[in-house]
């Protein structure tokens, strides 16, 4: 196989981040600027996690952030000296508003007061962008990730059941697997995917005491849905002191849209900002609904153990009380395990060679915390070649907007601005850095 001078960036998952990076790469290519070839490997469909079949929503719930935080937001590129304004202007062709105009929905959206779109409508927008930039998607579930060593250096090898896609860089996306459950197979315990499957089938849940484990965005969406079901009490279980409301004022929002200044904060200051604005907090819209519904209670603790007994699920909660650890047992008729979101979900897919590569780069054992601490400016793990981009773990070191939808245009700049190399002969390097190449890396 002859190696081309165009490096390949493989993206696990054809969701929001893959679409944002593919759109920016397509625009840069149009401007005759060399960029890696982007190949997304997707288990179901583009933007699947925003539709009922992805398992994270029934598609009918609404986006929490503004849709104007689209694939190019905040339209403040700093990737191509003297041509950034042109880049941003070209990117506006893939904006939320261009989508509405292009599909004849703009006037109605404005007249209705610019409502937050449903998750399904958001997925339609993302698919429109992917189609318009001719995004390269290979369908198959990624089951294993390894590292191939060759004469030109090391490359990522991303394996599905029937093929292997090679890349000079690898980006992992997605919130994890919604099928996770503390008691798999028990009909009184629903995973996130099982819960949304029922909601999508318009199946009404009828239960006396329901527990929702988790205090994050996916638990908030499920609570929003549970309101209309026949349940007597809903207990939200999370380790936080209480159910905090996300600050959505100008100053909090700015932290997400603009990471400038984030790295100037101490780690303690950053952690404090994240707990106030991001981790385990509910949006103001969900909190308003919670306020008016007296069925909802909060229970502080981590679920240490779950067991089915006498037609109920008994959850053992562990809580810190000063220096002591307290364990309490609570019984429920139905438990919804909303704790499936895990930004390090891909670790079990890594082969031994990939684990070794990462542990050498990290200088110690591979953990989610170690990865998080090692994410550099380009959103990749520092000291690891070939590059591994982990935007979902980049909040602490690079800015709280990178893991979500808050600054997708900056995310694509950081990733496409990274040098992922191509394992090419040295004389190809200058060409790759400055000129466009139409050669395509064959996908095995
Ligand atoms: C219900 C919900 C609502 C949210 N709402 C907001 C919001 O309003 N605002 C905000 O800023 N953030 C929100 N978030 C958080 C975050 O922005 C989203 O999770 C966002 O989609 C992350 O983008 P992504 O590209 O990493 O992943 P996704 O858009 O989720 O895409 C991941 C893709 O990977 C695919 N995939 C998964 N596993 C594999 C595999 N093994 N092999 C191949 N493909 C695979 C999936 O099918 C999916 O298409 C929300 C999250 C959830 C779960």
């Amino acid at each position: 196989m002859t190696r081309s001078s165009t490096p390949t960036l493989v993206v696990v998952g054809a969701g929001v981040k893959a679409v944002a990076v593919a759109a920016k790469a397509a625009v840069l290519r149009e401007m005759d600027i060399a960029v890696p070839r982007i190949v997304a490997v997707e288990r179901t469909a583009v933007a699947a996690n925003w539709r009922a079949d992805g398992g994270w929503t029934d598609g009918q719930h609404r986006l929490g952030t503004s849709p104007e935080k689209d694939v190019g937001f905040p339209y403040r590129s700093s990737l191509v000296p003297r041509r950034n304004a042109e880049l941003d202007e070209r990117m506006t062709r893939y904006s939320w508003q261009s989508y509405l105009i292009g599909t004849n929905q703009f006037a109605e959206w404005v007249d209705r007061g610019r409502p937050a779109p449903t998750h399904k409508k958001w997925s339609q927008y993302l698919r429109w962008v992917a189609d318009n930039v001719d995004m390269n998607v290979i369908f198959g579930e990624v089951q294993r990730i390894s590292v191939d060593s060759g004469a030109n250096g090391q490359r990522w090898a991303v394996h599905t059941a029937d093929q292997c896609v090679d890349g000079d860089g690898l980006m992992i996306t997605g919130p994890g697997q919604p099928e996770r459950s503390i008691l798999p197979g028990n009909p009184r315990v629903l995973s996130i995917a099982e819960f949304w499957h029922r909601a999508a089938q318009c199946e009404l849940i009828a239960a006396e005491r329901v527990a929702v484990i988790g205090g994050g965005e996916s638990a908030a969406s499920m609570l929003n849905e549970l309101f209309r079901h026949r349940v007597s009490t809903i207990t939200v279980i999370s380790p936080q002191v209480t159910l905090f409301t996300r600050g959505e004022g100008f100053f909090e929002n700015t932290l997400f849209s603009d990471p400038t200044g984030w790295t100037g904060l101490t780690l303690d200051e950053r952690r404090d900002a994240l707990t106030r604005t991001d981790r385990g907090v509910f949006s103001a819209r969900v909190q308003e609904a919670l306020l008016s519904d007296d069925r909802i209670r909060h229970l502080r603790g981590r679920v240490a153990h779950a067991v089915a007994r006498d037609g109920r699920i008994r959850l053992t909660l562990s809580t810190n009380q000063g220096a002591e650890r307290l364990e309490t047992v609570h019984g429920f008729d139905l438990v919804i395990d909303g704790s499936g979101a895990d930004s390090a979900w891909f670790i079990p897919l890594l082969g031994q060679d990939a684990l070794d590569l990462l542990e050498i780069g990290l200088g110690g054992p591979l953990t989610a915390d170690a990865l998080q601490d090692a994410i550099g400016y380009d959103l990749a793990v520092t000291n690891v070649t070939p590059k591994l981009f982990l935007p979902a773990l980049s909040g602490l070191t690079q800015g709280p907007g990178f893991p979500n939808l808050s600054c997708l245009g900056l995310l694509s700049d950081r990733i496409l601005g990274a040098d992922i190399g191509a394992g090419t002969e040295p004389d190809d390097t200058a060409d790759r850095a400055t000129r466009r190449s139409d050669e395509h890396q064959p996908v095995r």
Side-chain angles (χ1 to χ4, degrees):
M1 185 171 76
T2 17
R3 302 294 304 276
S4 78
S5 58
T6 305
T8 298
L9 172 65
V10 178
V11 184
V12 176
V16 190
K17 296 189 185 94
V19 173
V21 171
K24 180 77 59 84
V27 165
L28 286 165
R29 227 172 273 126
E30 264 173 30
M31 292 168 66
D32 223 21
I33 291 163
V35 277
R37 174 181 181 237
I38 313 297
V39 181
V41 185
E42 167 58 50
R43 73 169 168 186
T44 44
V46 173
N49 281 359
W50 299 95
R51 301 172 83 95
D53 43 4
W56 289 96
T57 172
D58 60 354
Q60 301 311 315
H61 285 267
R62 290 185 186 271
L63 203 62
T65 41
S66 159
E68 282 139 311
K69 289 196 165 191
D70 55 27
V71 297
F73 186 82
Y75 297 94
R76 221 174 32 227
S77 290
S78 56
L79 204 50
V80 228
R82 292 183 300 280
R83 295 184 72 191
N84 285 311
E86 178 190 348
L87 173 56
D88 287 334
E89 196 272 321
R90 285 176 184 255
M91 277 302 291
T92 60
R93 280 187 282 145
Y94 305 111
S95 69
W96 166 250
Q97 298 196 358
S98 293
Y99 159 70
L100 292 180
I101 293 167
T103 53
N104 210 13
Q105 305 177 71
F106 184 61
E108 183 175 339
W109 181 67
V110 172
D111 288 345
R112 287 185 185 279
R114 299 168 182 252
T118 61
H119 290 158
K120 186 173 171 198
K121 172 79 78 188
W122 184 244
S123 78
Q124 287 164 344
Y125 158 63
L126 295 170
R127 286 180 180 186
W128 175 85
V129 177
D131 284 348
N132 279 286
V133 301
D134 212 6
M135 184 169 163
N136 189 354
V137 184
I138 290 173
F139 289 97
E141 176 164 0
V142 174
Q143 296 177 341
R144 192 165 62 85
I145 296 170
S146 59
V147 181
D148 275 354
S149 298
N152 293 311
Q154 290 187 307
R155 304 184 84 211
W156 291 105
V158 174
H159 305 262
T160 66
D162 49 19
Q163 57 185 323
C164 171
V165 186
D166 281 349
D168 304 283
L170 174 65
M171 172 163 89
I172 311 242
T173 70
Q177 309 307 335
E179 295 83 12
R180 194 160 95 179
S181 162
I182 39 161
L183 276 183
N186 189 304
R188 288 182 179 275
V189 180
L190 300 182
S191 65
I192 296 174
E194 286 165 335
F195 174 81
W196 285 118
H197 181 71
R198 282 201 184 187
Q201 307 290 312
C202 297
E203 239 181 78
L204 213 56
I205 293 174
E208 282 289 309
R209 298 191 64 195
V210 178
V212 175
I213 305 174
E217 196 62 51
S218 40
S221 283
M222 293 194 295
L223 280 176
N224 224 357
E225 167 65 25
L226 261 179
F227 292 146
R228 65 174 195 86
H229 293 256
R230 291 215 326 259
V231 295
S232 303
T233 62
I234 305 169
T235 305
V236 184
I237 300 171
S238 73
Q240 283 84 18
V241 176
T242 189
L243 295 176
F244 290 108
T245 311
R246 181 164 50 230
E248 286 165 4
F250 169 73
F251 298 105
E252 288 101 334
N253 286 345
T254 305
L255 264 186
F256 282 73
S257 305
D258 183 2
T260 321
W262 182 254
T263 48
L265 304 175
T266 64
L267 272 182
D268 281 347
E269 285 168 336
R270 289 185 225 172
R271 286 204 172 94
D272 183 43
L274 285 174
T275 39
R276 280 160 182 269
T277 56
D278 194 30
R279 305 262 158 83
V281 291
F282 288 174
S283 67
R285 192 148 43 90
V286 171
Q287 283 284 20
E288 215 179 292
L290 297 186
L291 258 182
S292 58
D293 198 314
D294 60 6
R295 292 173 297 171
I296 317 263
R297 297 274 177 276
H298 175 247
L299 202 53
R300 183 178 169 220
R302 283 183 194 281
V303 178
H305 187 57
V307 65
R309 192 174 299 154
D310 307 328
R312 284 193 140 193
I313 303 296
R314 286 166 181 266
L315 298 180
T316 306
L317 297 197
S318 156
T319 342
N320 288 335
Q321 299 264 320
E324 278 180 38
R325 179 163 288 233
L326 196 72
E327 289 209 332
T328 49
V329 180
H330 307 261
F332 297 97
D333 303 311
L334 182 71
V335 172
I336 301 164
D337 187 351
S339 63
D342 175 10
S343 30
W345 67 271
F346 58 90
I347 291 180
L349 305 187
L350 299 172
Q352 193 55 49
D353 48 3
L355 290 172
D356 291 347
L357 180 86
L358 287 169
E359 293 198 338
I360 291 169
L362 293 171
L366 175 67
T367 61
D369 282 348
L371 284 172
Q372 171 177 265
D373 292 346
I375 304 292
Y377 180 84
D378 57 7
L379 313 185
V381 186
T382 313
N383 293 331
V384 170
T385 310
K387 287 228 178 250
L388 175 62
F389 299 94
L390 300 176
L393 284 161
S394 64
L396 182 67
T397 57
Q398 300 306 322
F402 288 114
N404 44 67
L405 311 179
S406 300
C407 55
L408 291 165
L410 298 181
L411 172 133
S412 57
D413 273 19
R414 297 255 184 133
I415 284 161
L416 293 171
D419 181 8
I420 68 168
T424 49
E425 300 303 325
D427 57 351
D428 279 334
T429 314
D431 176 52
R432 186 182 56 70
T434 52
R435 297 294 310 158
R436 168 184 170 182
S437 166
D438 284 317
E439 291 176 76
H440 277 185
Q441 177 74 35
V443 176
R444 283 196 306 179

